[in-house]
Amino acid sequence: MTTTGTGEEPLSIGEVAERTGLSVHTLRFYEREGLLVGPVRRTSGGRRRYTAVDVDWLLICVKLRESGMPLSDLKRFAELVRQGPGNEAERLRLLDAHRQRVDTQIQALEECRSVIAWKVGVYAEHLARGEAGGLWDPRA
Amino acid sequence: MTTTGTGEEPLSIGEVAERTGLSVHTLRFYEREGLLVGPVRRTSGGRRRYTAVDVDWLLICVKLRESGMPLSDLKRFAELVRQGPGNEAERLRLLDAHRQRVDTQIQALEECRSVIAWKVGVYAEHLARGEAGGLWDPRA
DNA sequence: CTACGATCTAGAGCGAGGTCTAGATCAAGT
DNA sequence: ACTTGATCTAGACCTCGCTCTAGATCGTAG
């Protein structure tokens, strides 16, 4: 699953940026912040070489961020993984709490959507009844 | 719909804060930023008195913000309403564009949720199979 | 009249999450 | 060797959306 692309050759930061949708700046920033699971390998010349594992982790980060997980939680999660086996229960708690937040967020958004859709309907109907609609405005 | 409460008596900023969930600071901030549809009435002594219309507008603002509309768009929308009838088409465009963004966002969140749920499942299963699980870790 | 809490204005401060700059180095093409 | 473009580091800077402070005033309950 989560195939990263070209088999096994490590990728440059630019290539990873393309594949993850993060900017190279952000990739370096995330690394500095300790959001990665391990230190990224380097070439003899000092350039970063990302492995498929690195990229898979980043893709998960993207999903977690996209769904609103704060960097601090992401960092905590990365720390747990870095520590190795033994703390799976905590990792689970962290993820599950986030999942619940996402569910809540989806519900909230759906409510927003219906309010907005209703207002859109009001305007659409108004316009359909003719631009010339005289007595209208009721503050909305 | 959107009954605001006590019939018709204007409300103080504190009462509006309670009813909208915004802080009094934020209410003043929104006003300064031109996010309200009209200038808020004042008592002789200079205190704000919000009408039911003001509060209804604020409740809509809350929904739009909650669903991620930037303050700049909210401001634009307020300006359009302030200008009065004649620009309904633009109001509609603005709202409808936002509705689409909300839909996209919901879809994205649902995808995130399923990725997260999958990972939660992986951990849960691992833990169920016994804490003592020896060979495990695969970087996640 | 006195207290006390709520409100007022103007403006500073803050936390999150990047984003960009400068100046140097690396690596590949010609 | 030279040019070009990608990367490197450290650190400054930016936007967004509030949030808070100071110091004054209002208004209601004793």
Side-chain angles (χ1 to χ4, degrees), chain A residues 37 53 60 63-64 66-67 85 88-89 91-92 95-96 98 103 105-106 108-109 111-113 116 119-120 123 126-127 136 139-140, chain B residues 37 53 60 63-64 66-67 85 88-89 91-92 95-96 98 103 105-106 108-109 111-113 116 119-120 123 126-127 136 139-140:
Chain A
V37 155
V53 169
I60 297 216
K63 284 297 173 200
L64 293 174
E66 213 178 296
S67 51
E88 286 79 6
R91 299 188 204 177
L92 177 57
L95 273 189
D96 203 45
H98 182 60
D103 284 345
Q105 208 186 331
I106 290 174
L109 273 183
E111 204 187 311
C112 294
R113 189 192 49 182
I116 296 162
K119 259 213 173 295
V120 164
Y123 278 116
H126 170 63
L127 286 171
W136 205 66
R139 295 294 89 184
Chain B
V37 155
V53 169
I60 296 215
K63 284 297 174 199
L64 293 173
E66 212 179 298
S67 51
E88 286 79 5
R91 299 188 204 177
L92 177 58
L95 274 189
D96 204 44
H98 182 60
D103 283 346
Q105 208 186 332
I106 289 174
L109 273 184
E111 204 187 312
C112 294
R113 190 191 49 182
I116 296 163
K119 258 208 173 298
V120 164
Y123 278 117
H126 169 65
L127 287 170
W136 206 65
R139 295 293 88 182

Short mmCIF file of all heavy atoms in Angstrom, two decimals, chain A residues 37 53 60 63-64 66-67 85 88-89 91-92 95-96 98 103 105-106 108-109 111-113 116 119-120 123 126-127 136 139-140, chain B residues 37 53 60 63-64 66-67 85 88-89 91-92 95-96 98 103 105-106 108-109 111-113 116 119-120 123 126-127 136 139-140:
data_model
loop_
_atom_site.label_atom_id
_atom_site.label_comp_id
_atom_site.label_asym_id
_atom_site.label_seq_id
_atom_site.Cartn_x
_atom_site.Cartn_y
_atom_site.Cartn_z
N VAL A 37 10.17 11.03 11.87
CA VAL A 37 10.37 9.85 12.69
C VAL A 37 11.85 9.58 12.96
O VAL A 37 12.22 9.05 14.00
CB VAL A 37 9.69 8.65 12.03
CG1 VAL A 37 10.32 7.36 12.44
CG2 VAL A 37 8.21 8.67 12.38
N VAL A 53 10.03 5.19 3.33
CA VAL A 53 9.45 5.26 4.68
C VAL A 53 9.24 6.70 5.10
O VAL A 53 8.19 7.07 5.63
CB VAL A 53 10.38 4.53 5.69
CG1 VAL A 53 9.93 4.82 7.12
CG2 VAL A 53 10.38 3.03 5.43
N ILE A 60 1.31 10.74 5.77
CA ILE A 60 0.40 10.66 6.91
C ILE A 60 0.33 12.01 7.62
O ILE A 60 -0.75 12.48 7.98
CB ILE A 60 0.89 9.58 7.90
CG1 ILE A 60 0.84 8.23 7.19
CG2 ILE A 60 0.07 9.61 9.19
CD1 ILE A 60 0.44 7.08 8.05
N LYS A 63 -2.03 14.25 5.93
CA LYS A 63 -3.43 13.95 6.23
C LYS A 63 -3.83 14.45 7.61
O LYS A 63 -4.92 14.96 7.81
CB LYS A 63 -3.67 12.43 6.16
CG LYS A 63 -3.75 11.90 4.74
CD LYS A 63 -4.93 12.50 4.02
CE LYS A 63 -4.96 12.13 2.54
NZ LYS A 63 -5.79 13.07 1.77
N LEU A 64 -2.93 14.25 8.55
CA LEU A 64 -3.24 14.68 9.91
C LEU A 64 -3.33 16.20 10.00
O LEU A 64 -4.24 16.73 10.62
CB LEU A 64 -2.20 14.13 10.89
CG LEU A 64 -2.21 12.60 11.05
CD1 LEU A 64 -1.06 12.12 11.92
CD2 LEU A 64 -3.54 12.12 11.66
N GLU A 66 -3.95 18.24 7.49
CA GLU A 66 -5.10 18.63 6.68
C GLU A 66 -6.39 18.54 7.49
O GLU A 66 -7.33 19.30 7.29
CB GLU A 66 -5.19 17.66 5.50
CG GLU A 66 -5.72 18.22 4.22
CD GLU A 66 -5.69 17.13 3.15
OE1 GLU A 66 -4.59 16.65 2.80
OE2 GLU A 66 -6.77 16.73 2.69
N SER A 67 -6.38 17.60 8.42
CA SER A 67 -7.58 17.43 9.23
C SER A 67 -7.44 18.18 10.55
O SER A 67 -8.20 17.95 11.49
CB SER A 67 -7.84 15.95 9.47
OG SER A 67 -6.68 15.30 9.95
N PRO A 85 8.71 0.35 19.85
CA PRO A 85 7.59 -0.41 20.41
C PRO A 85 7.45 -0.22 21.91
O PRO A 85 8.43 0.10 22.59
CB PRO A 85 7.98 -1.87 20.12
CG PRO A 85 8.99 -1.81 19.04
CD PRO A 85 9.73 -0.53 19.24
N GLU A 88 2.36 1.68 22.14
CA GLU A 88 1.27 1.66 21.15
C GLU A 88 -0.05 2.16 21.73
O GLU A 88 -0.85 2.77 21.02
CB GLU A 88 1.07 0.25 20.59
CG GLU A 88 2.14 -0.18 19.61
CD GLU A 88 3.43 -0.63 20.30
OE1 GLU A 88 3.45 -0.71 21.55
OE2 GLU A 88 4.41 -0.90 19.60
N ALA A 89 -0.26 1.90 23.01
CA ALA A 89 -1.53 2.33 23.60
C ALA A 89 -1.64 3.86 23.53
O ALA A 89 -2.69 4.40 23.21
CB ALA A 89 -1.61 1.87 25.05
N ARG A 91 -0.09 5.84 21.40
CA ARG A 91 -0.25 6.25 20.00
C ARG A 91 -1.72 6.12 19.61
O ARG A 91 -2.28 6.98 18.94
CB ARG A 91 0.56 5.34 19.08
CG ARG A 91 2.05 5.35 19.34
CD ARG A 91 2.79 4.58 18.25
NE ARG A 91 4.08 4.08 18.71
CZ ARG A 91 4.89 3.33 17.98
NH1 ARG A 91 4.54 2.97 16.75
NH2 ARG A 91 6.05 2.91 18.45
N LEU A 92 -2.31 5.02 20.05
CA LEU A 92 -3.70 4.78 19.72
C LEU A 92 -4.60 5.86 20.31
O LEU A 92 -5.47 6.39 19.63
CB LEU A 92 -4.11 3.41 20.26
CG LEU A 92 -5.58 3.00 20.08
CD1 LEU A 92 -5.96 3.03 18.61
CD2 LEU A 92 -5.82 1.61 20.66
N LEU A 95 -4.27 9.08 18.28
CA LEU A 95 -4.93 9.01 16.98
C LEU A 95 -6.44 8.98 17.12
O LEU A 95 -7.16 9.62 16.36
CB LEU A 95 -4.50 7.75 16.24
CG LEU A 95 -3.24 7.83 15.41
CD1 LEU A 95 -3.11 6.56 14.59
CD2 LEU A 95 -3.27 9.04 14.49
N ASP A 96 -6.89 8.22 18.10
CA ASP A 96 -8.33 8.05 18.24
C ASP A 96 -8.98 9.36 18.68
O ASP A 96 -10.06 9.71 18.23
CB ASP A 96 -8.62 6.92 19.22
CG ASP A 96 -10.00 6.35 18.98
OD1 ASP A 96 -10.34 6.12 17.80
OD2 ASP A 96 -10.75 6.16 19.96
N HIS A 98 -7.92 12.21 17.93
CA HIS A 98 -7.96 13.06 16.75
C HIS A 98 -9.12 12.65 15.84
O HIS A 98 -9.81 13.50 15.30
CB HIS A 98 -6.64 13.01 15.99
CG HIS A 98 -6.64 13.92 14.79
ND1 HIS A 98 -6.83 15.27 14.89
CD2 HIS A 98 -6.51 13.65 13.47
CE1 HIS A 98 -6.80 15.80 13.68
NE2 HIS A 98 -6.62 14.85 12.80
N ASP A 103 -14.41 13.77 13.39
CA ASP A 103 -15.84 13.49 13.25
C ASP A 103 -16.68 14.70 13.65
O ASP A 103 -17.61 15.09 12.95
CB ASP A 103 -16.22 12.29 14.12
CG ASP A 103 -15.78 10.97 13.49
OD1 ASP A 103 -15.44 10.98 12.29
OD2 ASP A 103 -15.76 9.94 14.19
N GLN A 105 -15.79 17.73 13.66
CA GLN A 105 -15.55 18.78 12.68
C GLN A 105 -16.40 18.56 11.43
O GLN A 105 -16.97 19.50 10.87
CB GLN A 105 -14.06 18.72 12.30
CG GLN A 105 -13.43 20.00 11.88
CD GLN A 105 -12.00 19.74 11.40
OE1 GLN A 105 -11.34 18.81 11.86
NE2 GLN A 105 -11.53 20.54 10.46
N ILE A 106 -16.49 17.32 11.02
CA ILE A 106 -17.31 17.00 9.85
C ILE A 106 -18.77 17.34 10.11
O ILE A 106 -19.43 17.97 9.29
CB ILE A 106 -17.18 15.51 9.47
CG1 ILE A 106 -15.78 15.23 8.90
CG2 ILE A 106 -18.24 15.11 8.45
CD1 ILE A 106 -15.50 13.76 8.62
N ALA A 108 -19.91 19.54 12.21
CA ALA A 108 -20.05 20.99 12.25
C ALA A 108 -20.10 21.55 10.83
O ALA A 108 -20.93 22.38 10.49
CB ALA A 108 -18.88 21.61 13.02
N LEU A 109 -19.21 21.04 9.99
CA LEU A 109 -19.16 21.52 8.62
C LEU A 109 -20.44 21.22 7.89
O LEU A 109 -20.91 22.01 7.07
CB LEU A 109 -17.99 20.89 7.87
CG LEU A 109 -16.66 21.59 8.00
CD1 LEU A 109 -15.63 20.89 7.14
CD2 LEU A 109 -16.79 23.05 7.60
N GLU A 111 -23.34 21.05 9.15
CA GLU A 111 -24.35 22.00 9.59
C GLU A 111 -24.12 23.34 8.90
O GLU A 111 -25.07 23.97 8.42
CB GLU A 111 -24.24 22.15 11.10
CG GLU A 111 -25.52 22.62 11.75
CD GLU A 111 -25.30 22.92 13.21
OE1 GLU A 111 -24.71 22.07 13.91
OE2 GLU A 111 -25.72 24.02 13.64
N CYS A 112 -22.88 23.76 8.83
CA CYS A 112 -22.56 25.00 8.15
C CYS A 112 -23.03 24.95 6.71
O CYS A 112 -23.66 25.87 6.20
CB CYS A 112 -21.05 25.26 8.16
SG CYS A 112 -20.37 25.57 9.78
N ARG A 113 -22.73 23.84 6.09
CA ARG A 113 -23.10 23.70 4.68
C ARG A 113 -24.60 23.87 4.50
O ARG A 113 -25.04 24.51 3.54
CB ARG A 113 -22.66 22.35 4.13
CG ARG A 113 -22.83 22.29 2.63
CD ARG A 113 -22.69 20.90 2.08
NE ARG A 113 -23.51 19.96 2.86
CZ ARG A 113 -23.56 18.66 2.64
NH1 ARG A 113 -22.82 18.13 1.70
NH2 ARG A 113 -24.33 17.89 3.36
N ILE A 116 -25.54 27.48 4.78
CA ILE A 116 -25.09 28.21 3.60
C ILE A 116 -25.97 27.85 2.40
O ILE A 116 -26.40 28.72 1.64
CB ILE A 116 -23.62 27.89 3.30
CG1 ILE A 116 -22.74 28.38 4.45
CG2 ILE A 116 -23.19 28.54 2.00
CD1 ILE A 116 -21.36 27.76 4.48
N LYS A 119 -29.12 29.71 2.47
CA LYS A 119 -28.98 31.11 2.06
C LYS A 119 -28.76 31.23 0.56
O LYS A 119 -29.29 32.12 -0.10
CB LYS A 119 -27.82 31.76 2.82
CG LYS A 119 -28.32 32.61 3.96
CD LYS A 119 -27.47 33.82 4.26
CE LYS A 119 -28.11 34.73 5.29
NZ LYS A 119 -29.37 35.36 4.86
N VAL A 120 -27.96 30.32 0.04
CA VAL A 120 -27.74 30.31 -1.41
C VAL A 120 -29.10 30.15 -2.11
O VAL A 120 -29.39 30.84 -3.08
CB VAL A 120 -26.80 29.15 -1.81
CG1 VAL A 120 -26.89 28.90 -3.31
CG2 VAL A 120 -25.37 29.49 -1.42
N TYR A 123 -31.07 33.43 -2.18
CA TYR A 123 -30.60 34.34 -3.22
C TYR A 123 -30.97 33.87 -4.61
O TYR A 123 -31.41 34.64 -5.47
CB TYR A 123 -29.08 34.52 -3.15
CG TYR A 123 -28.68 35.53 -2.11
CD1 TYR A 123 -27.93 35.16 -1.01
CD2 TYR A 123 -29.04 36.87 -2.24
CE1 TYR A 123 -27.55 36.08 -0.04
CE2 TYR A 123 -28.69 37.79 -1.28
CZ TYR A 123 -27.94 37.40 -0.18
OH TYR A 123 -27.58 38.31 0.76
N HIS A 126 -34.54 34.48 -5.28
CA HIS A 126 -34.74 35.92 -5.48
C HIS A 126 -34.36 36.34 -6.89
O HIS A 126 -35.09 37.06 -7.57
CB HIS A 126 -33.91 36.69 -4.47
CG HIS A 126 -33.85 38.16 -4.74
ND1 HIS A 126 -34.98 38.96 -4.71
CD2 HIS A 126 -32.81 38.97 -5.07
CE1 HIS A 126 -34.63 40.21 -5.00
NE2 HIS A 126 -33.32 40.24 -5.22
N LEU A 127 -33.19 35.87 -7.31
CA LEU A 127 -32.71 36.25 -8.64
C LEU A 127 -33.58 35.65 -9.73
O LEU A 127 -33.83 36.29 -10.76
CB LEU A 127 -31.25 35.81 -8.80
CG LEU A 127 -30.28 36.67 -8.01
CD1 LEU A 127 -28.89 36.05 -8.02
CD2 LEU A 127 -30.24 38.08 -8.57
N TRP A 136 -37.15 44.13 -1.50
CA TRP A 136 -36.38 43.02 -0.96
C TRP A 136 -35.11 43.53 -0.34
O TRP A 136 -34.58 44.56 -0.74
CB TRP A 136 -36.06 41.99 -2.06
CG TRP A 136 -35.83 40.64 -1.49
CD1 TRP A 136 -36.77 39.87 -0.87
CD2 TRP A 136 -34.60 39.92 -1.43
NE1 TRP A 136 -36.20 38.71 -0.43
CE2 TRP A 136 -34.88 38.71 -0.75
CE3 TRP A 136 -33.30 40.16 -1.85
CZ2 TRP A 136 -33.91 37.76 -0.50
CZ3 TRP A 136 -32.34 39.21 -1.61
CH2 TRP A 136 -32.64 38.01 -0.94
N ARG A 139 -31.97 42.49 5.22
CA ARG A 139 -30.63 42.31 5.82
C ARG A 139 -30.04 40.94 5.61
O ARG A 139 -29.75 40.25 6.57
CB ARG A 139 -30.69 42.58 7.33
CG ARG A 139 -31.03 43.97 7.73
CD ARG A 139 -29.99 44.97 7.37
NE ARG A 139 -30.22 45.50 6.03
CZ ARG A 139 -29.40 46.35 5.44
NH1 ARG A 139 -28.32 46.76 6.03
NH2 ARG A 139 -29.64 46.78 4.24
N ALA A 140 -29.95 40.55 4.42
CA ALA A 140 -29.30 39.27 4.13
C ALA A 140 -29.51 38.95 2.67
O ALA A 140 -28.84 38.10 2.13
CB ALA A 140 -29.85 38.17 4.98
N VAL B 37 -22.98 44.53 9.26
CA VAL B 37 -23.78 45.05 8.17
C VAL B 37 -24.07 46.53 8.33
O VAL B 37 -24.21 47.27 7.36
CB VAL B 37 -25.08 44.22 8.08
CG1 VAL B 37 -26.18 45.01 7.43
CG2 VAL B 37 -24.80 42.94 7.30
N VAL B 53 -31.45 41.78 14.46
CA VAL B 53 -30.86 41.68 13.13
C VAL B 53 -29.34 41.57 13.23
O VAL B 53 -28.73 40.73 12.56
CB VAL B 53 -31.24 42.93 12.28
CG1 VAL B 53 -30.42 42.96 11.00
CG2 VAL B 53 -32.73 42.91 11.96
N ILE B 60 -24.70 34.16 11.50
CA ILE B 60 -24.28 33.69 10.18
C ILE B 60 -22.77 33.80 10.04
O ILE B 60 -22.11 32.88 9.55
CB ILE B 60 -24.97 34.53 9.07
CG1 ILE B 60 -26.48 34.28 9.16
CG2 ILE B 60 -24.40 34.17 7.70
CD1 ILE B 60 -27.18 34.26 7.87
N LYS B 63 -21.09 30.91 11.53
CA LYS B 63 -21.14 29.70 10.70
C LYS B 63 -20.15 29.79 9.54
O LYS B 63 -19.49 28.80 9.19
CB LYS B 63 -22.54 29.51 10.12
CG LYS B 63 -23.56 28.98 11.12
CD LYS B 63 -23.16 27.60 11.60
CE LYS B 63 -24.05 27.09 12.72
NZ LYS B 63 -23.40 26.00 13.47
N LEU B 64 -20.07 30.95 8.96
CA LEU B 64 -19.16 31.11 7.83
C LEU B 64 -17.71 30.98 8.29
O LEU B 64 -16.90 30.31 7.65
CB LEU B 64 -19.40 32.45 7.13
CG LEU B 64 -20.76 32.55 6.42
CD1 LEU B 64 -20.99 33.96 5.88
CD2 LEU B 64 -20.87 31.53 5.29
N GLU B 66 -16.66 29.43 11.01
CA GLU B 66 -16.49 28.05 11.46
C GLU B 66 -16.18 27.14 10.28
O GLU B 66 -15.49 26.14 10.41
CB GLU B 66 -17.80 27.62 12.11
CG GLU B 66 -17.70 26.65 13.25
CD GLU B 66 -19.11 26.36 13.79
OE1 GLU B 66 -19.77 27.31 14.28
OE2 GLU B 66 -19.54 25.21 13.70
N SER B 67 -16.72 27.50 9.15
CA SER B 67 -16.49 26.67 7.98
C SER B 67 -15.32 27.21 7.16
O SER B 67 -15.14 26.85 6.01
CB SER B 67 -17.75 26.58 7.14
OG SER B 67 -18.28 27.86 6.88
N PRO B 85 -29.87 46.43 -2.09
CA PRO B 85 -30.28 45.59 -3.21
C PRO B 85 -29.54 45.96 -4.49
O PRO B 85 -29.08 47.09 -4.65
CB PRO B 85 -31.77 45.93 -3.36
CG PRO B 85 -32.19 46.50 -2.06
CD PRO B 85 -30.99 47.20 -1.53
N GLU B 88 -27.25 41.19 -5.68
CA GLU B 88 -27.55 39.83 -5.20
C GLU B 88 -26.76 38.76 -5.95
O GLU B 88 -26.38 37.74 -5.37
CB GLU B 88 -29.04 39.53 -5.28
CG GLU B 88 -29.88 40.23 -4.23
CD GLU B 88 -30.15 41.68 -4.57
OE1 GLU B 88 -29.76 42.13 -5.68
OE2 GLU B 88 -30.73 42.40 -3.74
N ALA B 89 -26.53 39.02 -7.23
CA ALA B 89 -25.81 38.01 -8.00
C ALA B 89 -24.41 37.80 -7.42
O ALA B 89 -23.94 36.67 -7.30
CB ALA B 89 -25.72 38.42 -9.46
N ARG B 91 -23.46 38.43 -4.33
CA ARG B 91 -23.58 37.78 -3.02
C ARG B 91 -23.72 36.28 -3.22
O ARG B 91 -23.12 35.48 -2.51
CB ARG B 91 -24.83 38.28 -2.29
CG ARG B 91 -24.84 39.76 -2.02
CD ARG B 91 -26.03 40.11 -1.13
NE ARG B 91 -26.43 41.51 -1.27
CZ ARG B 91 -27.46 42.05 -0.65
NH1 ARG B 91 -28.22 41.31 0.16
NH2 ARG B 91 -27.75 43.32 -0.80
N LEU B 92 -24.53 35.94 -4.20
CA LEU B 92 -24.77 34.53 -4.48
C LEU B 92 -23.47 33.82 -4.88
O LEU B 92 -23.16 32.74 -4.39
CB LEU B 92 -25.81 34.40 -5.59
CG LEU B 92 -26.13 32.98 -6.06
CD1 LEU B 92 -26.63 32.13 -4.90
CD2 LEU B 92 -27.20 33.02 -7.16
N LEU B 95 -21.24 33.30 -1.82
CA LEU B 95 -21.72 32.23 -0.94
C LEU B 95 -21.58 30.87 -1.58
O LEU B 95 -21.20 29.90 -0.93
CB LEU B 95 -23.19 32.45 -0.61
CG LEU B 95 -23.53 33.34 0.56
CD1 LEU B 95 -25.02 33.23 0.83
CD2 LEU B 95 -22.73 32.94 1.78
N ASP B 96 -21.90 30.83 -2.86
CA ASP B 96 -21.89 29.53 -3.53
C ASP B 96 -20.47 29.00 -3.66
O ASP B 96 -20.22 27.82 -3.50
CB ASP B 96 -22.56 29.64 -4.89
CG ASP B 96 -23.08 28.29 -5.34
OD1 ASP B 96 -23.68 27.59 -4.51
OD2 ASP B 96 -22.85 27.93 -6.51
N HIS B 98 -18.18 29.61 -1.61
CA HIS B 98 -17.81 29.10 -0.29
C HIS B 98 -18.44 27.74 -0.03
O HIS B 98 -17.79 26.85 0.52
CB HIS B 98 -18.23 30.09 0.80
CG HIS B 98 -17.82 29.64 2.17
ND1 HIS B 98 -16.51 29.41 2.51
CD2 HIS B 98 -18.53 29.32 3.27
CE1 HIS B 98 -16.44 29.00 3.77
NE2 HIS B 98 -17.67 28.92 4.24
N ASP B 103 -17.84 21.89 0.71
CA ASP B 103 -18.05 20.52 0.24
C ASP B 103 -16.73 19.81 0.04
O ASP B 103 -16.53 18.67 0.46
CB ASP B 103 -18.84 20.53 -1.08
CG ASP B 103 -20.32 20.78 -0.85
OD1 ASP B 103 -20.76 20.69 0.32
OD2 ASP B 103 -21.03 21.09 -1.81
N GLN B 105 -13.96 20.49 1.41
CA GLN B 105 -13.34 20.31 2.71
C GLN B 105 -13.93 19.09 3.42
O GLN B 105 -13.20 18.32 4.05
CB GLN B 105 -13.65 21.57 3.51
CG GLN B 105 -12.65 21.93 4.57
CD GLN B 105 -13.17 23.12 5.37
OE1 GLN B 105 -13.94 23.96 4.88
NE2 GLN B 105 -12.77 23.19 6.62
N ILE B 106 -15.22 18.93 3.31
CA ILE B 106 -15.87 17.78 3.94
C ILE B 106 -15.34 16.50 3.32
O ILE B 106 -15.00 15.54 4.03
CB ILE B 106 -17.40 17.86 3.79
CG1 ILE B 106 -17.96 18.97 4.68
CG2 ILE B 106 -18.04 16.52 4.16
CD1 ILE B 106 -19.45 19.23 4.49
N ALA B 108 -12.47 16.04 1.86
CA ALA B 108 -11.09 15.85 2.29
C ALA B 108 -11.08 15.29 3.71
O ALA B 108 -10.33 14.34 4.01
CB ALA B 108 -10.35 17.18 2.24
N LEU B 109 -11.90 15.85 4.55
CA LEU B 109 -11.92 15.39 5.94
C LEU B 109 -12.36 13.95 6.03
O LEU B 109 -11.86 13.18 6.85
CB LEU B 109 -12.87 16.24 6.76
CG LEU B 109 -12.29 17.49 7.37
CD1 LEU B 109 -13.32 18.18 8.23
CD2 LEU B 109 -11.06 17.15 8.19
N GLU B 111 -11.87 11.69 3.85
CA GLU B 111 -10.74 10.87 3.44
C GLU B 111 -9.73 10.76 4.58
O GLU B 111 -9.24 9.67 4.87
CB GLU B 111 -10.09 11.50 2.21
CG GLU B 111 -9.32 10.50 1.38
CD GLU B 111 -8.56 11.23 0.27
OE1 GLU B 111 -9.18 12.08 -0.40
OE2 GLU B 111 -7.35 10.97 0.13
N CYS B 112 -9.46 11.89 5.21
CA CYS B 112 -8.55 11.88 6.35
C CYS B 112 -9.07 10.93 7.41
O CYS B 112 -8.32 10.11 7.96
CB CYS B 112 -8.43 13.26 6.98
SG CYS B 112 -7.66 14.48 5.92
N ARG B 113 -10.34 11.03 7.68
CA ARG B 113 -10.90 10.19 8.72
C ARG B 113 -10.69 8.72 8.41
O ARG B 113 -10.37 7.92 9.28
CB ARG B 113 -12.39 10.46 8.89
CG ARG B 113 -12.94 9.76 10.12
CD ARG B 113 -14.44 9.79 10.16
NE ARG B 113 -15.00 9.35 8.89
CZ ARG B 113 -16.30 9.30 8.62
NH1 ARG B 113 -17.17 9.70 9.51
NH2 ARG B 113 -16.71 8.89 7.44
N ILE B 116 -7.14 7.76 9.05
CA ILE B 116 -6.90 7.71 10.48
C ILE B 116 -7.56 6.48 11.09
O ILE B 116 -6.96 5.75 11.88
CB ILE B 116 -7.42 8.99 11.16
CG1 ILE B 116 -6.64 10.19 10.65
CG2 ILE B 116 -7.29 8.89 12.67
CD1 ILE B 116 -7.32 11.52 10.91
N LYS B 119 -5.53 3.48 10.51
CA LYS B 119 -4.37 3.40 11.40
C LYS B 119 -4.78 3.06 12.82
O LYS B 119 -4.13 2.27 13.51
CB LYS B 119 -3.59 4.71 11.38
CG LYS B 119 -2.34 4.59 10.52
CD LYS B 119 -1.22 5.48 10.93
CE LYS B 119 0.04 5.18 10.13
NZ LYS B 119 0.57 3.84 10.31
N VAL B 120 -5.87 3.64 13.25
CA VAL B 120 -6.39 3.31 14.58
C VAL B 120 -6.65 1.81 14.65
O VAL B 120 -6.31 1.15 15.64
CB VAL B 120 -7.68 4.10 14.87
CG1 VAL B 120 -8.43 3.50 16.05
CG2 VAL B 120 -7.35 5.56 15.15
N TYR B 123 -3.45 -0.21 15.12
CA TYR B 123 -2.97 -0.19 16.50
C TYR B 123 -3.86 -1.01 17.41
O TYR B 123 -3.37 -1.76 18.26
CB TYR B 123 -2.90 1.25 17.03
CG TYR B 123 -1.64 1.95 16.62
CD1 TYR B 123 -1.68 3.07 15.81
CD2 TYR B 123 -0.39 1.48 17.04
CE1 TYR B 123 -0.52 3.71 15.41
CE2 TYR B 123 0.77 2.11 16.65
CZ TYR B 123 0.71 3.22 15.83
OH TYR B 123 1.84 3.85 15.45
N HIS B 126 -3.20 -4.60 16.94
CA HIS B 126 -1.91 -4.93 17.51
C HIS B 126 -2.02 -5.09 19.03
O HIS B 126 -1.52 -6.05 19.61
CB HIS B 126 -0.91 -3.83 17.18
CG HIS B 126 0.37 -3.94 17.94
ND1 HIS B 126 1.25 -5.01 17.78
CD2 HIS B 126 0.92 -3.14 18.89
CE1 HIS B 126 2.29 -4.84 18.58
NE2 HIS B 126 2.11 -3.73 19.27
N LEU B 127 -2.70 -4.15 19.65
CA LEU B 127 -2.83 -4.20 21.10
C LEU B 127 -3.69 -5.37 21.54
O LEU B 127 -3.41 -6.01 22.55
CB LEU B 127 -3.41 -2.88 21.61
CG LEU B 127 -2.43 -1.72 21.56
CD1 LEU B 127 -3.13 -0.40 21.84
CD2 LEU B 127 -1.29 -1.94 22.55
N TRP B 136 7.34 -6.06 16.08
CA TRP B 136 6.43 -5.11 15.46
C TRP B 136 7.02 -3.72 15.54
O TRP B 136 7.82 -3.42 16.43
CB TRP B 136 5.07 -5.13 16.15
CG TRP B 136 3.99 -4.68 15.22
CD1 TRP B 136 3.58 -5.30 14.09
CD2 TRP B 136 3.22 -3.49 15.34
NE1 TRP B 136 2.59 -4.58 13.49
CE2 TRP B 136 2.35 -3.47 14.24
CE3 TRP B 136 3.16 -2.44 16.27
CZ2 TRP B 136 1.44 -2.45 14.02
CZ3 TRP B 136 2.26 -1.43 16.06
CH2 TRP B 136 1.40 -1.44 14.94
N ARG B 139 7.68 1.25 11.45
CA ARG B 139 7.61 2.72 11.34
C ARG B 139 6.20 3.27 11.28
O ARG B 139 5.84 3.95 10.33
CB ARG B 139 8.36 3.20 10.10
CG ARG B 139 9.85 2.95 10.10
CD ARG B 139 10.58 3.74 11.11
NE ARG B 139 10.62 3.01 12.40
CZ ARG B 139 11.18 3.49 13.49
NH1 ARG B 139 11.72 4.67 13.48
NH2 ARG B 139 11.17 2.81 14.60
N ALA B 140 5.39 2.95 12.23
CA ALA B 140 4.05 3.50 12.31
C ALA B 140 3.28 2.74 13.38
O ALA B 140 2.23 3.15 13.78
CB ALA B 140 3.34 3.40 10.98
#
